Amino acid sequence: EALTIEANREITKAVEEKRPFYLNMAHYAVHSPFQADKRFLSRYTDPDKNEQARAFATLIEGMDKSLGDIMDQLEKLGIAENTLIFFLGDNGGDAPLGEERGYGSSAPLRGKKGTEFEGGMRVPFIVSWAKPRKGNKFQKRLPIEAGGMQSQLGTIMDIYPTVLSVAGCKLPADYVIDGFDLKKQLSGKVNRKRLETFLMHFPHAHRGNYFTVYREGDWKLIYYYSPETPKQPKAVLYNLKEDQEEKKELSS
């Protein structure tokens, strides 16, 4: 709650000074240890859910309220239609439900945060103008398909070039970036220039130990540097189009 108040204070200050602003609301709340947000605890009384699951639910609602309060403030200050919102996670699901390498809150995707499976790697990523309005000069630079679902790969690295594009800023010719401008994808189209490959190294022990994941199109290869048992293969292979649950191992 204090974080939201401070964010709204910074927004108001920027408006008063008539300057553009960038605000990063990096919520720690939906993170272990899961300590309940007492404002919402009375809403979650399902006896089939344990105390940690109920605490997690209150943290989700607290984060939702925070975003809603910020959007209300943007509207109050009259700058909502000039404000672009990126809402995303930095890791896969970590809710205290299901097995770590099984199926829980991210189902049908497998695994929790820190695992090599899709439930530990994919994150929600929502982009919207705080108040969509046709004719707005900024929104013309980045038209977003209302209610659209984009299945083409995107990453956090794409935020930087996308924001530069909307702001009308050009990169120096020799400046290398890892991301792609999301303009075409956010309009509901496929970016044919985007490589359908993705490489992720995870060089430490946390649920999934010391692995590298490589995706090429529908195929996903996982390489283990230190297999946990003698019988565990050094690499496994899945076809995500045919098997999004990662149950059918195809390396053989």
Side-chain angles (χ1 to χ4, degrees):
E1 189 172 16
L3 189 65
T4 308
I5 293 170
E6 179 62 27
N8 282 338
R9 186 181 294 123
E10 289 297 316
I11 292 170
T12 303
K13 182 180 178 182
V15 172
E16 290 173 348
E17 295 174 359
K18 298 181 179 180
R19 60 176 172 82
F21 66 91
Y22 167 78
L23 177 68
N24 179 22
M25 279 291 287
H27 279 278
Y28 186 82
V30 189
H31 196 288
S32 63
F34 303 128
Q35 298 174 326
D37 187 328
K38 295 180 180 179
R39 294 175 296 171
F40 311 111
L41 195 54
S42 63
R43 303 176 194 262
Y44 302 97
T45 57
D46 185 346
D48 294 329
K49 297 291 188 293
N50 61 40
E51 182 179 347
Q52 281 288 279
R54 294 196 295 272
F56 188 88
T58 69
L59 298 179
I60 292 290
E61 183 164 351
M63 182 180 65
D64 285 350
K65 183 181 187 305
S66 171
L67 179 58
D69 288 346
I70 290 173
M71 293 181 71
D72 289 344
Q73 182 74 351
L74 296 171
E75 182 74 30
K76 177 182 175 181
L77 296 171
I79 58 171
E81 64 184 44
N82 295 339
T83 304
L84 183 60
I85 294 179
F86 294 88
F87 179 85
L88 68 158
D90 66 340
N91 275 291
D94 200 28
L97 301 167
E99 299 296 323
E100 288 184 351
R101 302 165 73 83
Y103 302 90
S105 64
S106 297
L109 301 181
R110 179 182 177 185
K112 292 187 179 184
K113 164 187 172 181
T115 67
E116 63 274 35
F117 303 108
E118 292 297 284
M121 296 170 56
R122 291 196 207 182
V123 299
F125 191 168
I126 303 170
V127 185
S128 175
W129 290 98
K131 184 179 181 180
R133 185 176 75 82
K134 292 182 179 180
N136 178 282
K137 64 178 182 179
F138 298 113
Q139 296 190 29
K140 283 183 177 180
R141 296 179 186 172
L142 186 66
I144 299 175
E145 181 187 22
M149 292 283 288
Q150 176 57 260
S151 60
Q152 187 181 20
L153 181 71
T155 73
I156 289 175
M157 283 84 79
D158 299 331
I159 294 177
Y160 182 45
T162 303
V163 169
L164 290 181
S165 175
V166 176
C169 301
K170 291 186 177 181
L171 284 166
D174 58 348
Y175 194 90
V176 178
I177 58 171
D178 294 315
F180 292 82
D181 184 351
L182 290 170
K183 182 175 182 178
K184 183 167 284 190
Q185 289 176 254
L186 292 175
S187 70
K189 301 175 183 177
V190 173
N191 183 357
R192 301 293 178 188
K193 295 182 179 180
R194 176 166 213 142
L195 298 175
E196 293 298 316
T197 57
F198 176 72
L199 184 72
M200 188 188 82
H201 293 294
F202 199 86
H204 66 283
H206 178 68
R207 290 179 176 160
N209 293 343
Y210 302 94
F211 61 82
T212 290
V213 169
Y214 176 66
R215 278 189 57 184
E216 184 171 311
D218 297 327
W219 293 95
K220 174 179 176 180
L221 179 74
I222 306 170
Y223 177 80
Y224 296 99
Y225 292 86
S226 302
E228 296 173 5
T229 66
K231 293 183 179 180
Q232 182 181 349
K234 290 281 285 185
V236 294
L237 183 69
Y238 298 99
N239 185 297
L240 297 177
K241 183 177 181 179
E242 298 176 359
D243 175 31
Q244 67 171 341
E245 298 178 351
E246 295 176 278
K247 289 183 175 180
K248 302 172 184 176
E249 203 282 294
L250 303 171
S251 61
S252 61

